[in-house]
Amino acid sequence: KQNPFTDKNLNSIFLIDSINGAACGDDGVIYITNDACNTWTQKHSSNSYNLKSISFVDNNIGYAAGESTILKTIDGGNNWTEIYTVNELNINEIHFSNADIVFAVCDKSVILKSVDGGNSWDLKSYDDSSNLYSVHFIDSVGYAVGQKGLIIRSTDYGETWTHIPTDVSRHLYSVYFNNYKNIFASGEKN
């Protein structure tokens, strides 16, 4: 049995490679491991927001996001800077297409997009009021999923989005694909 290293709820984990990783959670906590998950060191904390998603572009550049805020590190997670805030918008997941293009999906079908590594953000909105929970891109193609089986697709780096009809009526919380033929989404069971 492994001893817990925190009493906070952890909401996301990202393994950069077989040695390095990061986790984030409630009260803005961010933990880093540099020894294959044997030990974790707290690197950030804030009582003003909960973090829901963490993702790294490489060993140095990473993003964490949650309630109304996006954080960025450029030193492997040792220091974090708040790079974006928006009042009353719940950011559910952050994902990068490459080192410059970063996406975040939010409640109310809001999609945030940065083309300059998080220095500036454009607010996009899909014509629906459903919450979006997950986004994944390969090159210019991306999918986002959310409430009531919502699946949307972009083929132009998130500039426009098209609804993909499904028979799913439950919430979808995760989407992933590694080629353009097989897209995986998971969520609530029927």
Side-chain angles (χ1 to χ4, degrees):
K1 178 180 175 185
Q2 188 168 0
N3 291 327
F5 57 88
T6 181
D7 62 347
K8 305 293 183 196
N9 290 328
L10 296 178
N11 301 316
S12 180
I13 188 168
F14 188 90
L15 299 178
I16 301 162
D17 54 37
S18 63
I19 303 295
N20 302 294
C24 70
D26 291 354
D27 294 334
V29 297
I30 297 176
Y31 291 90
I32 301 297
T33 182
N34 301 112
D35 61 3
C37 302
N38 289 309
T39 60
W40 293 82
T41 304
Q42 184 173 326
K43 295 295 183 175
H44 185 270
S45 179
S46 172
N47 290 332
S48 61
Y49 49 78
N50 295 328
L51 294 173
K52 293 185 169 188
S53 179
I54 195 162
S55 187
F56 275 73
V57 176
D58 56 32
N59 282 340
N60 292 312
I61 299 170
Y63 298 89
E67 295 170 346
S68 303
T69 193
I70 298 174
L71 306 173
K72 182 178 181 179
T73 182
I74 58 171
D75 63 4
N78 289 308
N79 297 288
W80 293 84
T81 304
E82 192 172 276
I83 60 170
Y84 186 78
T85 58
V86 58
N87 290 334
E88 299 181 22
L89 184 61
N90 202 26
I91 302 168
N92 293 311
E93 187 175 78
I94 193 158
H95 176 77
F96 57 89
S97 180
N98 59 45
D100 293 319
I101 301 175
V102 186
F103 293 92
V105 290
C106 312
D107 288 353
K108 303 174 187 169
S109 290
V110 171
I111 302 160
L112 300 172
K113 177 184 177 184
S114 174
V115 295
D116 57 8
N119 293 318
S120 62
W121 293 85
D122 289 328
L123 191 133
K124 310 268 183 204
S125 185
Y126 177 70
D127 189 26
D128 189 286
S129 62
S130 298
N131 297 340
L132 293 170
Y133 297 121
S134 182
V135 62
H136 188 82
F137 268 83
I138 296 178
D139 300 321
S140 63
V141 177
Y143 289 85
V145 298
Q147 281 183 313
K148 302 175 190 165
L150 178 64
I151 300 176
I152 56 177
R153 178 180 187 227
S154 175
T155 57
D156 57 5
Y157 287 102
E159 289 300 310
T160 60
W161 294 85
T162 305
H163 179 257
I164 306 296
T166 71
D167 294 332
V168 177
S169 61
R170 300 288 186 140
H171 299 341
L172 297 173
Y173 294 116
S174 183
V175 64
Y176 178 81
F177 64 104
N178 58 6
N179 61 49
Y180 300 111
K181 295 181 182 179
N182 298 303
I183 294 93
F184 303 94
S186 64
E188 293 178 332
K189 83 175 189 177
N190 286 330

